[in-house]
Amino acid sequence: MEIIRIEGMTKRFPVGNGEFTALKNVDLSIAEGEFVGLVGPSGSGKTTLLNIIGSLDTPSDGTATVINQDVSSLSHKQSALLRNIHLGFIFQTYNLLPVYTVYENVEFALLLQNMSATARKKAVMDALDWVGLTDKIKSKPAMLSGGESQRVAIARAMVKKPKIVLADEPTANLDSENSHHILQTMLKLNKELKTTFVFATHDEKVMKYLRRKISLADGKVIADELMQTEKSKQY
Amino acid sequence: MIKFLLKGILRDRSRSLLPIIVVSIGVFLTIVMSAWMKGIFTDMIDMNANFTTGHVKIMTRAYAENSNQMPLDLALLGIDELKQNLEKDYPDMEWVSRINFGGLLDVPDKNGETRAQGPAACKAIDFFHNPKEIERMNISKSLVKGSIPKKPGEAIISDEFAEKFGVKLGEDVTLFGSTMNGSMLFKTFTVCGTIRFGMTMLDRGAILMDISDAQLALDMENGSTEILGYFNDGNYDKLKVEEVTNTFNSKYSKENDEFSPQMHKLEEQSGLGDYLAMADGMIGMMITFFVIAMSIVLWNTGLLGGLRRYTEYGIRLALGEEKKHIYKTMIYEAILIGIIGSVLGTILGLGMAYYLQEVGLDFSEMTKNISMMMPPIYRATIFPDLFYIGFIPGLIAMVSGNALAGLTIYKRKTSQLFKELEV
Ligand SMILES: Nc1ncnc2c1ncn2[C@@H]1O[C@H](COP(=O)(O)OP(=O)(O)OP(=O)(O)O)[C@@H](O)[C@H]1O
Ligand SMILES: [Mg+2]
C-alpha cells in the first residue's frame, strides 16, 4: 500500500532577488513498510525532500501526499496533528533534552497524546526495550555515549508507533560499530512494526542495509534501485 | 505536561533561578516598601489621632470653623452630660475632653519681676484621673526632668523653654491670657517637669496642665474646646467611624445652632484624608513601577531562556506540538515560576517587614528641624494585604515578560527544523 506519493514536485527557495530550485519535478512513490535511503552529494536536496514528506515544509509545485493527506493543503494545526500521530523524526544530532532522563525524553513524545499513565509507561518501556536501553532509564543524556543517545532518539521517534520515521543522517555522528547497531535496530523495528523508514544519508556503511536506494543529484531523482544485499536479506 | 514542565524548571536551575530571583526581589521590595509606607502613614495618623484629632473629634460648629484661632469663647459646654451620653451610645469607644488655648508664659525672678517671656501653647488633659491620656500623648517617655502633674497648680513646660530661660523644677511660672468669657487670665503654676516630644510643632512653647486647673482658670466649668473619641481596640476603622459620626451628628448637631456639637472624622481634619489616599496611591504607583521594571528584566531573561531551550522547542514542533500550545505552556511555566518567586519574596518580605515593625529605624536626628508632626522612629506595619500584594507584580511581570519573549516561537519555521537541529 502506498504511503508516500510525490508527483511533479518542485521546491524553490527565494535567494536574494531570484530563486533557487532545490528539487526539480520529483516523482516518487513509497509503499508502507519500506526501508528507503535518499542518497546523494551535499546540496542534492535530501533534507528538503524529508522536510516536505514530514510536512515541515510545502512544495512549490506538484503534490506530496503523505498518508492520504496533501501536504500543501494542510493547515498548521493539521500538519502538527499529522506529525504528532503518524510521523517520527530522528536527527543527525540526537537533540535529547538534557534536563530530562532517558525515560522522560522518550515519554515526552507521548505527552501530547491523550494516553493514560499506565499505557504511557508501557509504551515507553517497550520503546526502550526495542533499542536495548531499559537499564538506562534513569540516566541523563550527558551520561550516554553517542550510540546510546541516538538509540534514545530512535525510541523517542518510535514510542508512538508512527507510520513513518524520517531520519536525516542518523549515523553521521557515530563510529562504525554504533552505526551498524543503529541500522540493525531500525531494520528490526521496520520488520516487526511495519514502520516505513525514510532516511537521508551519504554514509557508505548505511548503504548495505538499504532495501531501496533513491539517488538524488541537483534536486533530481537520478536513480531508484531495489537492493538485494546480505544485510537487508537477513531480516 | 505541567508536571513535566515543573520538573524542567526545578532541574534546570540556570534557567529558572534568575527569573525566580528577579521575581523574589521585586516581590520582596514591594512588600517591604508597602509595609514600610503603611507603617509610616499609620504612625503618622496614630500620632495625629493621639495628639490632636482623635479617631473622631467633637467641637461646636462655630469652634470647628475657627479652630486654628483656638477661640475659647466658642468652646463646648455641658461636656459631662455629653460624655455620659456618648459613653452610653458608643460603649466601644473612649471619650476624653481636652482644652487647647494660647497665652503668654512669664518667668518671674526672685522679686517677682519678669525675667523672661514667651508665647505658650497650652494643652490641658486629664492628668489626674486618666492614665490612658498620659500614655496616649507619650508623656512619661517624653519627660526630660521631673514628673507629671499630680495636684492642682502643677504644670509641665517645654524643656527647650526651661533650658532657654533657666527655669528649674519647683519654680513658678505665670500664664497670661484671656478666659472663656473674655476676662483677664492670670494663673501661676509650679513647674513639676519638663518635656520634649521630639517634634518641633508640639514642643514649641508647650505647657501642659490638668484639665480641672484649666477649667478653673479659664472660667469654663464643665466645658472644653474638644472631646476626642478613640476606639478601644486602637484601630481606625473607616466604616465604624462613618457610622459613629453620622449617628452622632444627626442626633446632636443642629444646623441653626452654631454652639451645637459636631463630630469630625479623623480624615476630615488637617488633610489627613488626602494623606490616607496618598498612602494607597503610592503603594499602587510603586507596584506599577515594579511591574514595569520587572517585566522588562523578565522579558530579557525569557528571551535568554528561549535561546537555551531552542532545541527543546524545535523537538516539540517536530513532534507535532502546535506553536500555540508551546506558547501556552510557556505562560504556564511563567505562572509557576511567578508563584514560586512570589511565595519566596513574600516570605522574605514579611520577615523583613516584621523586623522593621518590631525594631524600626530612628530618623529623629534627621527630622529634628521639620515642623510637621512625624514619628521619631519609623516602623513598618504588617497588614493583611501584604500576604497577597506581592503576587500582583510577581505574576504580572513574569507572565507579561514571558508572554513577550515567547512570541519568538511564532517566528520559527518548521521547514528549518532539520537544519537547526543538525548543529
Ligand atoms: N531555506 C532555504 N533557502 C535557500 N536555499 C535552500 C534552503 N534550504 C535548502 N536550500 C538549498 O537547497 C539545496 C538542497 O539543500 P538540502 O539541505 O536539501 O541538501 P542536502 O542534500 O540535505 O545536503 P546535505 O547532505 O549537505 O545535508 C542546497 O543547495 C541548499 O543550499
Ligand atoms: Mg541535509
Side-chain angles (χ1 to χ4, degrees), chain A residues 13-15 20 22 40-48 169 202, chain B residues 416 419:
Chain A
F13 292 111
V15 263
F20 177 81
S42 185
S44 54
K46 305 183 292 289
T47 299
T48 307
E169 314 269 8
H202 45 225
Chain B
Q416 296 303 310
K419 300 223 161 73

Side-chain angles (χ1 to χ4, degrees), chain B residues 103-387:
Chain B
L104 199 64
L105 196 60
D106 182 284
V107 187
D109 63 12
K110 274 174 232 129
N111 310 322
E113 304 285 324
T114 296
R115 190 171 83 205
Q117 251 182 11
C122 316
K123 216 171 193 42
I125 65 169
D126 192 353
F127 273 112
F128 298 162
H129 306 106
N130 192 345
K132 270 197 185 162
E133 278 282 88
I134 298 165
E135 191 188 322
R136 198 171 275 140
M137 308 257 308
N138 199 24
I139 288 173
S140 303
K141 281 195 193 130
S142 306
L143 274 180
V144 181
K145 290 188 205 108
S147 60
I148 59 164
K150 290 196 187 66
K151 53 182 194 286
E154 287 189 337
I156 302 175
I157 62 169
S158 145
D159 188 59
E160 188 189 312
F161 189 94
E163 287 286 313
K164 199 153 133 201
F165 300 113
V167 183
K168 296 192 185 64
L169 294 185
E171 286 186 341
D172 284 351
V173 291
T174 310
L175 189 61
F176 294 102
S178 59
T179 67
M180 181 170 182
N181 44 40
S183 33
M184 174 81 169
L185 162 71
F186 177 87
K187 164 93 182 163
T188 300
F189 289 98
T190 308
V191 176
C192 65
T194 66
I195 197 160
R196 187 191 297 128
F197 290 109
M199 283 169 288
T200 318
M201 182 187 152
L202 291 174
D203 283 330
R204 191 166 293 153
I207 165 163
L208 292 100
M209 68 213 70
D210 188 71
I211 190 160
S212 58
D213 265 355
Q215 282 171 330
L216 206 62
L218 297 169
D219 299 331
M220 49 193 299
E221 201 186 334
N222 199 9
S224 74
T225 53
E226 64 205 33
I227 295 176
L228 304 179
Y230 294 95
F231 286 100
N232 287 333
D233 62 10
N235 289 328
Y236 183 80
D237 180 333
K238 272 192 188 172
L239 288 176
K240 272 202 237 160
V241 167
E242 189 75 36
E243 191 201 309
V244 171
T245 315
N246 287 343
T247 54
F248 178 88
N249 284 339
S250 62
K251 186 166 170 190
Y252 293 97
S253 191
K254 296 175 193 69
E255 228 162 289
N256 49 12
D257 177 4
E258 62 170 357
F259 287 100
S260 67
Q262 191 180 32
M263 189 185 281
H264 300 262
K265 296 177 264 187
L266 176 146
E267 71 235 52
E268 285 170 353
Q269 305 174 48
S270 46
L272 283 176
D274 296 344
Y275 209 61
L276 278 171
M278 192 168 94
D280 289 344
M282 272 169 74
I283 290 178
M285 247 164 58
M286 196 179 63
I287 289 177
T288 313
F289 169 78
F290 277 120
V291 166
I292 294 171
M294 280 158 66
S295 296
I296 293 171
V297 176
L298 291 167
W299 176 16
N300 282 292
T301 58
L303 287 175
L304 285 177
L307 284 182
R308 282 180 62 82
R309 300 170 70 191
Y310 203 69
T311 305
E312 176 188 331
Y313 295 139
I315 296 285
R316 286 164 66 176
L317 285 172
L319 284 172
E321 189 167 350
E322 281 177 69
K323 287 176 177 177
K324 205 164 88 192
H325 190 266
I326 296 184
Y327 188 70
K328 249 195 256 168
T329 63
M330 290 185 201
I331 304 291
Y332 290 149
E333 286 183 339
I335 293 173
L336 278 174
I337 291 191
I339 290 174
I340 296 173
S342 299
V343 168
L344 270 177
T346 299
I347 293 171
L348 294 175
L350 285 173
M352 185 71 190
Y354 181 75
Y355 174 82
L356 289 174
Q357 174 175 283
E358 296 304 307
V359 180
L361 293 184
D362 190 345
F363 282 124
S364 55
E365 278 302 300
M366 278 163 65
T367 54
K368 211 160 46 186
N369 297 318
I370 297 175
S371 63
M372 225 170 104
M373 212 189 279
M374 284 201 291
I377 292 182
Y378 279 58
R379 292 176 192 282
T381 295
I382 291 181
F383 56 109
D385 293 358
L386 288 183
F387 287 89

Side-chain angles (χ1 to χ4, degrees), chain A residues 97-190:
Chain A
L97 306 179
V99 290
Y100 297 109
T101 62
V102 164
Y103 181 91
E104 288 161 346
N105 264 282
V106 176
E107 187 187 20
F108 199 79
L110 293 177
L111 289 177
L112 285 174
Q113 304 187 340
N114 286 327
M115 201 182 244
S116 74
T118 37
R120 197 162 66 216
K121 182 163 187 185
K122 177 161 188 335
V124 174
M125 290 312 289
D126 283 350
L128 286 168
D129 189 31
W130 299 330
V131 298
L133 279 176
T134 42
D135 54 334
K136 299 267 183 188
I137 53 170
K138 292 231 164 71
S139 306
K140 291 279 175 69
M143 303 186 288
L144 301 178
S145 71
E148 286 168 335
S149 298
Q150 194 60 303
R151 273 147 64 202
V152 177
I154 293 173
R156 179 175 63 190
M158 292 300 303
V159 68
K160 53 190 183 187
K161 300 198 181 131
K163 287 214 157 62
I164 306 172
V165 169
L166 302 168
D168 199 0
E169 314 269 8
T171 57
N173 284 351
L174 300 176
D175 61 25
S176 83
E177 196 189 321
N178 273 310
S179 298
H180 288 298
H181 195 149
I182 291 295
L183 261 299
Q184 272 155 12
T185 308
M186 296 206 291
L187 210 50
K188 187 182 80 184
L189 291 168
N190 164 258

Side-chain angles (χ1 to χ4, degrees), chain A residues 56 93 95 100 104 108 168, chain B residues 4 7 11 414-415 421-422:
Chain A
L56 295 169
T93 43
N95 288 310
Y100 297 109
E104 288 161 346
F108 199 79
D168 199 0
Chain B
F4 218 78
K7 270 188 209 160
R11 290 194 199 148
T414 50
S415 58
L421 295 176
E422 219 112 280

Side-chain angles (χ1 to χ4, degrees), chain B residues 310 323 406-414 420:
Chain B
Y310 203 69
K323 287 176 177 177
L407 290 176
T408 49
I409 188 80
Y410 287 102
K411 296 214 188 89
R412 277 187 86 164
K413 293 207 174 70
T414 50
E420 288 166 358

Side-chain angles (χ1 to χ4, degrees), chain A residues 29-50:
Chain A
S29 168
I30 295 173
E32 201 168 354
E34 281 201 72
F35 200 74
V36 189
L38 305 172
V39 300
S42 185
S44 54
K46 305 183 292 289
T47 299
T48 307
L49 189 50
L50 280 184

